[in-house]
Amino acid sequence: MSKLFEIALGVITGIGGFLEAGSLTTAAQAGAAFGYQLIWAIAVGTVCIAFLVEMAGRLAAVSRHALPDAMRERFGIRFFLLPLAAVALVSFLVLASEIGGVTLALEFATGISHRWWAIPTALSIWLLLWKGTFGMVEKGTSMLGLVTLAFVVAALTLHPHPAEVARGLVPRGPTHDAARYWFTAVSIVGASVSPYLFYFYSAGAVEDQWDEGYLTINRITAGVGMTFGGAVAVAALVCAALVLHPQGIQVDRFEQIPFLLTSPLARAGFWLFVGALFIACFGAALEIALQLAYLVAQGFGWRWGENLQPREAARFALVYTVVIPLAALVILSGIDPLKLTVISMALTALSLPVTVVPLLILMNDPQYLNEHTNGWVSNVAVLAVSAIACLVALVALPLEILGS
Amino acid sequence: MTPPSGVRLERLLGRLVRDHLGVSVGRIEDVVAEPAGDAYRVTHVLVGPDGRLAQLFAAGYQLPTLRALGLGRKPRIRRLPWSWLELSDPDRPRLRAEVA
Amino acid sequence: MLIGRDILDQQVVDRAGRLMGKVDGVVLGPPEGEDARIAGIVIGGTTLLWRIHRGLARWAERKLGGEGRATFVPWAKVTKIGIDIKVDVDAPRTRAFHWENWVRDHLIGRIPGA
Amino acid sequence: MRRVRLLCGLTLAGIVFLGGCGKSPADQAREATTTLASWKATLRLLEAQEARGVVPEAYAGQVRRAAEEEREKATAELRKAGSR
């Protein structure tokens, strides 16, 4: 029975944990500007993250190492510092974007500017990590994250044509505005393949003391959970394609995104949007802050563990205690949250080779995986997506930064 | 306790080994030790390729996909007895004269 | 057994199972002579710097006048080499825990509910 | 090692330059007009939903403020593109 519960839990983590500030804004931008044309980018990102999450779980179950721990051990400090710095920088920017999402949800709900909400949000995120346990963070955020299913309900009430949606799954070039098309595609992939998702997942597998017996659960959790998560992102894109695209509205500010739910679901839609944005971003912020602490603590061998009292893992607790207020300062500084989010997603795509290749090397090392090393499918798929995403980001990012 | 004097392995790894004529033999990849009672006796040193390209291909060798694309080549690692090394200056390990 | 692969950068766990750092360095001694042995492992201090940037390490050692708070664990105290390196040592009393204790006493410990 | 660093520097500069000159004045003008049209449509959609009482009044104010800011930016861009 408990295995079934674990599977259900895993799937919920996939659904609840998938949609956050990045995937929501990039899906809304894609749907508004290009209709169904970019659904394939979400599909590619979802397949890639499903593989990566499964790999991170398998690594933890077989070698009993979380990802940063194994990376430091296998590559030595010199070749560990580069991925450490890349993941830390990208995760910090995404953390700031998530806090931005939370503060905007509060602004929509209360009318008070989002900058006033930065400090209270940071304080409550920190308090939950300070007092909470790992189980509470992981399971609480994904249970509540189910509210993001509101986008699926909204998409269905708009009655999209299944054939047209399916056609969007076929990768194709843009009909217009090529630079913006490829930039949005790459930020969608960056939003789906956020390193914190599989780094946090591997830390979770170690905290839950997984072993070889969990390999099937791991595969189901990663596959089904992430696919459902991807479906929620597609639903958000479909809403934008049916509500904003026909009116010629392109998404430049967060304030335009609530229309995705208010058009199909009226007043309830507005409050569902505020709730979904708040919970999804708050949950993601909790996971990212915790993952940053795991990353540094495991990299240098300090005591770590969300189930330990802060006193017992002082440096681990210090990391998230410092990182959360710093991220809140970024929002306080008045940066436009939408632009920050979209740029962070593109930077995530740019850094993919550095954050993903170490995991791929570990997954092909019998010393860590015994007979459970990677098949060629996952190797080729993940490497190809990372390389392409990085190249496209390399060209698209300067264009976007200089353009705006 | 402060570390006693002795050769520090972490500073040896990656250093270029030259023979007594100054010709490069390769870079130190690792050091082999065998159990001897409770302790471990250092027996060999593994010397890998020196060239930047060779190291790049050695890195590529770790990924089956890159290997399949011909971007990875198994690095040639040689096992030299530890006693051949002369470590008066740990930053510039050299092979003993009588060994060549 | 390869010292770099199997010992260096491994997680060190003390007598009570507390994580006390990674193996940042390994001392091989005596330097000259036939039978060099693994004398012990080093945690923390300036050891890591030597592998990141030698100039930085030299500068740090000049400033600190020595290896800073490097902790040496003699090989005799290493009880098991496996997923982690188990050592027969009480971590909080060693210098490897200096910063852990300092952060606990001066920063984290001060916040209520620590 | 210097050669490698030089090479990286050159390629990076090349990419940034390529990115930079991608935005000709005609592109900028076209993009600014689409942004203006987009925000006009946003306000039309807002008014329709306000009439049906779908969105709270505070949020409507925020959309109008955002629209104002973005329209100012777009018109400035249009003027800049026009003069160039």
Side-chain angles (χ1 to χ4, degrees):
Chain A
M1 184 20 219
S2 89
K3 282 276 166 51
L4 207 60
F5 175 69
E6 291 267 358
I7 291 177
L9 201 61
V11 169
I12 290 171
T13 313
I15 303 172
F18 193 96
L19 199 78
E20 33 74 53
S23 36
L24 175 60
T25 48
T26 49
Q29 282 194 326
F34 301 103
Y36 295 142
Q37 284 181 45
L38 275 170
I39 292 181
W40 61 269
I42 297 180
V44 164
T46 303
V47 166
C48 194
I49 191 61
F51 275 128
L52 287 167
V53 162
E54 192 276 332
M55 287 182 209
R58 188 163 16 118
L59 174 73
V62 176
S63 75
R64 308 292 194 284
H65 282 81
L67 192 44
D69 202 3
M71 276 163 63
R72 161 78 194 266
E73 203 178 283
R74 171 70 170 67
F75 302 108
I77 185 71
R78 257 176 81 109
F79 296 107
F80 169 68
L81 280 182
L82 183 61
L84 171 75
V87 172
L89 175 69
V90 160
S91 297
F92 176 76
L93 286 174
V94 177
L95 174 62
S97 312
E98 302 305 336
I99 292 179
V102 172
T103 57
L104 272 160
L106 290 168
E107 175 175 315
F108 295 155
T110 62
I112 302 167
S113 157
H114 66 281
R115 288 165 70 176
W116 292 106
W117 289 108
I119 299 295
T121 304
L123 195 63
S124 36
I125 292 170
W126 172 80
L127 203 60
L128 275 171
L129 290 185
W130 188 256
K131 299 303 287 177
T133 62
F134 180 83
M136 183 218 79
V137 169
E138 185 195 28
K139 297 166 181 77
T141 51
S142 24
M143 295 290 180
L144 293 169
L146 291 176
V147 74
T148 54
L149 290 174
F151 287 98
V152 176
V153 172
L156 294 177
T157 49
L158 288 164
H159 303 303
H161 296 296
E164 275 171 33
V165 174
R167 205 174 315 118
L169 275 169
V170 175
R172 68 159 73 76
T175 49
H176 61 283
D177 203 350
R180 175 59 59 86
Y181 181 88
W182 290 113
F183 178 77
T184 311
V186 98
S187 37
I188 285 178
V189 171
S192 336
V193 190
S194 306
Y196 87 85
L197 281 170
F198 53 93
Y199 275 75
F200 183 77
Y201 187 86
S202 84
V206 172
E207 289 254 26
D208 295 344
Q209 274 126 28
W210 279 21
D211 55 27
E212 276 81 349
Y214 279 83
L215 288 183
T216 351
I217 291 179
N218 178 46
R219 202 167 297 121
I220 296 171
T221 306
V224 176
M226 288 300 145
T227 314
F228 271 102
V232 173
V234 168
L237 184 143
V238 163
C239 289
L242 294 175
V243 170
L244 303 179
H245 186 61
Q247 317 278 339
I249 300 174
Q250 60 178 26
V251 172
D252 296 321
R253 293 283 292 267
F254 246 102
E255 285 82 352
Q256 294 168 300
I257 306 180
F259 289 120
L260 265 55
L261 293 188
T262 56
S263 295
L265 304 175
R267 190 99 185 167
F270 177 79
W271 292 107
L272 272 171
F273 179 88
V274 167
L277 184 65
F278 178 85
I279 291 168
C281 295
F282 197 93
L286 278 173
E287 286 189 6
I288 299 169
L290 200 49
Q291 176 259 324
L292 277 165
Y294 283 126
L295 186 67
V296 178
Q298 283 166 9
F300 296 101
W302 304 339
R303 304 196 67 191
W304 57 269
E306 178 54 9
N307 299 329
L308 292 175
Q309 278 297 336
R311 299 182 58 77
E312 291 159 340
R315 287 175 287 186
F316 170 77
L318 183 66
V319 173
Y320 65 72
T321 303
V322 166
V323 151
I324 295 171
L326 277 180
L329 284 182
V330 173
I331 298 303
L332 212 58
S333 72
I335 276 182
D336 168 29
L338 186 83
K339 206 156 290 320
L340 169 70
T341 305
V342 175
I343 299 277
S344 317
M345 296 308 131
L347 281 174
T348 305
L350 186 69
S351 66
L352 273 181
V354 171
T355 49
V356 160
V357 163
L359 170 59
L360 278 183
I361 293 178
L362 281 166
M363 295 310 290
N364 290 284
D365 183 342
Q367 238 224 324
Y368 283 88
L369 270 299
N370 310 328
E371 72 281 6
H372 298 292
T373 50
N374 262 6
W376 67 273
V377 174
S378 46
N379 275 335
V380 171
V382 169
L383 199 63
V385 169
S386 309
I388 296 166
C390 174
L391 287 176
V392 173
L394 207 58
V395 176
L397 246 173
L399 223 57
E400 183 60 23
I401 293 176
L402 291 170
S404 58
Chain B
M1 238 159 67
T2 55
S5 70
V7 173
R8 297 296 282 272
L9 173 86
E10 73 278 10
R11 297 188 200 170
L12 263 186
L13 295 181
R15 301 307 304 167
L16 193 64
V17 181
R18 293 178 186 282
D19 65 15
H20 70 292
L21 301 171
V23 173
S24 150
V25 174
R27 284 188 187 280
I28 294 182
E29 294 285 331
D30 213 328
V31 168
V32 183
E34 302 303 339
D38 290 344
Y40 270 81
R41 201 166 62 79
V42 178
T43 58
H44 294 86
V45 60
L46 300 183
V47 176
D50 166 29
R52 196 165 296 285
L53 206 62
Q55 281 174 329
L56 210 61
F57 276 93
Y61 180 74
Q62 298 171 64
L63 267 180
T65 318
L66 296 184
R67 263 206 310 269
L69 295 170
L71 292 170
R73 223 175 303 120
K74 188 166 178 47
R76 209 162 53 81
I77 307 275
R78 281 165 299 159
R79 269 167 80 103
L80 306 178
W82 176 259
S83 52
W84 287 15
L85 275 184
E86 190 269 313
L87 294 167
S88 51
D89 171 3
D91 287 350
R92 286 166 199 78
R94 302 181 76 85
L95 291 185
R96 291 193 186 290
E98 62 277 12
V99 150
Chain C
M1 188 263 285
L2 296 179
I3 308 176
R5 188 192 62 184
D6 300 330
I7 297 181
L8 200 60
D9 290 310
Q10 295 279 329
Q11 178 69 54
V12 182
V13 178
D14 81 344
R15 196 182 293 147
R18 285 178 288 245
L19 309 182
M20 62 183 277
K22 296 269 184 182
V23 176
D24 297 323
V26 179
V27 184
L28 310 175
E32 293 310 324
E34 281 309 308
D35 52 3
R37 282 188 172 36
I38 301 181
I41 59 174
V42 181
I43 303 167
T46 57
T47 328
L48 265 186
L49 283 177
W50 282 98
R51 291 163 63 198
I52 297 170
H53 189 277
R54 309 179 74 80
L56 208 62
R58 261 186 222 101
W59 172 79
E61 288 202 345
R62 253 200 323 278
K63 237 167 93 49
L64 294 168
E67 294 206 35
R69 287 198 170 69
T71 308
F72 175 71
V73 178
W75 189 251
K77 285 205 180 297
V78 173
T79 49
K80 180 173 172 302
I81 304 171
I83 288 182
D84 302 323
I85 307 274
K86 298 222 171 358
V87 290
D88 183 16
V89 153
D90 193 13
R93 282 215 300 280
T94 65
R95 290 202 289 201
F97 250 49
H98 167 78
W99 289 112
E100 179 75 22
N101 297 334
W102 190 87
V103 167
R104 184 195 57 206
D105 299 341
H106 291 81
L107 300 173
I108 293 297
R110 290 242 168 89
I111 304 172
Chain D
M1 197 41 196
R2 257 184 328 287
R3 237 178 332 88
V4 171
R5 213 167 284 130
L6 186 66
L7 202 64
C8 291
L10 269 178
T11 37
L12 206 62
I15 286 171
V16 169
F17 173 73
L18 172 85
C21 72
K23 279 280 183 321
S24 64
D27 282 344
Q28 257 175 341
R30 191 173 44 74
E31 211 163 280
T33 34
T34 19
T35 310
L36 283 172
S38 156
W39 279 100
K40 187 137 53 76
T42 309
L43 290 178
R44 230 186 8 266
L45 181 60
L46 176 71
E47 274 136 27
Q49 298 202 349
E50 257 186 314
R52 290 197 301 42
V54 163
V55 288
E57 193 258 342
Y59 165 69
Q62 284 151 19
V63 176
R64 289 203 173 81
R65 223 173 300 117
E68 205 32 53
E69 283 167 23
E70 293 302 319
R71 281 186 5 190
E72 261 159 38
K73 259 194 251 169
T75 33
E77 193 119 345
L78 209 57
R79 224 176 298 113
K80 201 171 67 179
S83 63
R84 241 212 330 230

